[in-house]
Amino acid sequence: MRFSVRHETIYSYDTPVVLAAHRLRLTPRGDCGRVLSRGLEILPEPAMMREKVDAHGNPLVLVEFGPGASDLLRIVSAFEIETRQATPPGAQRLPRLPWPRRDDAPDACLTGRDPGPEVRRFAEGLAELAGRDAMGFLELLTATLYQRTDRRIRQDGYAQSPQETLERAQGACRDLAVLFIACCRLMGLPARFVSGYQAQAESVDGQRHLHAWPEVWLGQAGWQGFDPTHGTRVRDGHVALCAAPEQEETMPVEGGYYGPPVAARLRYRVEVEVRA
């Protein structure tokens, strides 16, 4: 698919502030397709911009500002990309669940906070229903979370705990991704959090938003994406900006300002056009 994306982010402050350095995670990952064009507009104009790749393979833009104060920070990211079809796991034999610890597994994507006994029982129950088959478990987990969860839009804040999402049976895409990841890790499956965009236009409020989904490491098949918000596998209808063991490492705009606390407001607008 060919994606055209425009993502505008505006922070406004009640009184002018001196902006600190910022990290921008708004560039598509190199493993999701071929970038055809790309642009980045920032106001106030930065004193320095530098690109790098972080420890998880994500492209970053590091931005530093001058000493002047501003009551506004506006960032507009626009790009066009041709996504590539994800390679399915194929007919390889995968270990039965729970997976044993393997030396080549990404350890950072196996550890995390204990999600609690309710989530453990939920994951164990699905594993039993899937006959302890890894792919069967992942497909059943995707379908179950899609069918049982009242999906909401929540514009700010980190994800709920896995237990809260499971008990309330409602949440945003990041909440479902974090619950999915917790269930996978309980079964010995390395999993990570992905932030990006997706092709399906429908949403609860009719607007476009940044999307989140989990990826699971399946040995020789590499990272495989699942989207419990839409009940699908991730193929060529998603564009990944950032992937990391925890959500906190995938924020699209990360930074702050110098000076006393002031009231700040965040507005954003995401436009996505997709052509087959």
Side-chain angles (χ1 to χ4, degrees):
M1 289 186 178
R2 177 172 292 194
F3 278 73
S4 297
V5 177
R6 184 181 185 275
H7 186 162
E8 180 181 31
T9 304
I10 298 176
Y11 289 92
S12 54
Y13 305 92
D14 277 0
T15 59
V17 299
V18 176
L19 296 168
H22 279 62
R23 293 183 173 212
L24 309 183
R25 301 181 179 94
L26 293 166
T27 303
R29 283 178 57 94
D31 54 6
C32 67
R34 181 168 66 97
V35 176
L36 305 175
S37 65
R38 175 179 159 227
L40 185 64
E41 300 176 12
I42 304 175
L43 288 174
E45 186 174 347
M48 186 279 289
M49 290 177 57
R50 180 166 59 92
E51 298 189 31
K52 63 172 290 187
V53 177
D54 72 11
H56 305 301
N58 302 305
L60 296 179
V61 178
L62 307 179
V63 181
E64 294 184 8
F65 297 91
S70 175
D71 62 359
L72 188 77
L73 171 60
R74 179 175 180 264
I75 301 167
V76 180
S77 168
F79 63 81
E80 189 169 12
I81 185 173
E82 284 185 348
T83 58
R84 61 172 61 99
Q85 187 76 257
T87 303
Q92 67 166 317
R93 293 179 61 85
L94 299 174
R96 311 293 284 177
L97 298 178
W99 274 25
R101 178 72 69 131
R102 297 174 54 173
D103 292 339
D104 57 349
D107 285 344
C109 296
L110 270 171
T111 59
R113 306 180 190 91
D114 184 351
E118 293 84 358
V119 177
R120 186 176 297 276
R121 284 193 292 269
F122 175 69
E124 285 285 350
L126 293 181
E128 284 294 326
L129 285 174
R132 297 284 167 179
D133 175 73
M135 281 304 302
F137 169 78
L138 294 170
E139 291 168 356
L140 182 58
L141 178 58
T142 301
T144 301
L145 293 182
Y146 173 72
Q147 292 164 3
R148 77 183 299 275
T149 307
D150 180 11
R151 295 172 297 282
R152 304 288 184 90
I153 298 296
R154 196 171 69 257
Q155 295 188 1
D156 51 19
Y158 288 118
Q160 302 169 163
S161 70
Q163 179 175 330
E164 183 177 359
T165 302
L166 182 64
E167 290 180 344
R168 297 180 63 195
Q170 68 178 41
C173 57
R174 59 188 179 278
D175 303 319
L176 273 74
V178 167
L179 173 55
F180 192 106
I181 289 168
C183 291
C184 289
R185 292 177 179 178
L186 289 170
M187 294 294 108
L189 295 165
R192 65 185 183 183
F193 188 98
V194 186
S195 175
Y197 309 97
Q198 51 85 29
Q200 297 189 47
E202 67 272 9
S203 63
V204 177
D205 62 357
Q207 304 297 316
R208 287 288 197 162
H209 303 274
L210 201 64
H211 191 48
W213 64 92
E215 286 184 344
V216 183
W217 184 82
L218 294 178
Q220 293 181 355
W223 291 102
Q224 299 288 325
F226 299 83
D227 189 344
T229 302
H230 295 98
T232 66
R233 290 281 306 279
V234 171
R235 300 193 186 277
D236 61 347
H238 292 66
V239 175
L241 297 177
C242 189
E246 306 299 335
Q247 179 198 359
E248 291 82 356
E249 300 174 90
T250 68
M251 302 305 291
V253 178
E254 183 179 8
Y257 61 87
Y258 300 109
V262 301
R265 288 168 296 279
L266 166 64
R267 292 179 288 135
Y268 67 86
R269 180 178 178 83
V270 176
E271 300 172 5
V272 180
E273 295 183 3
V274 182
R275 299 190 300 276

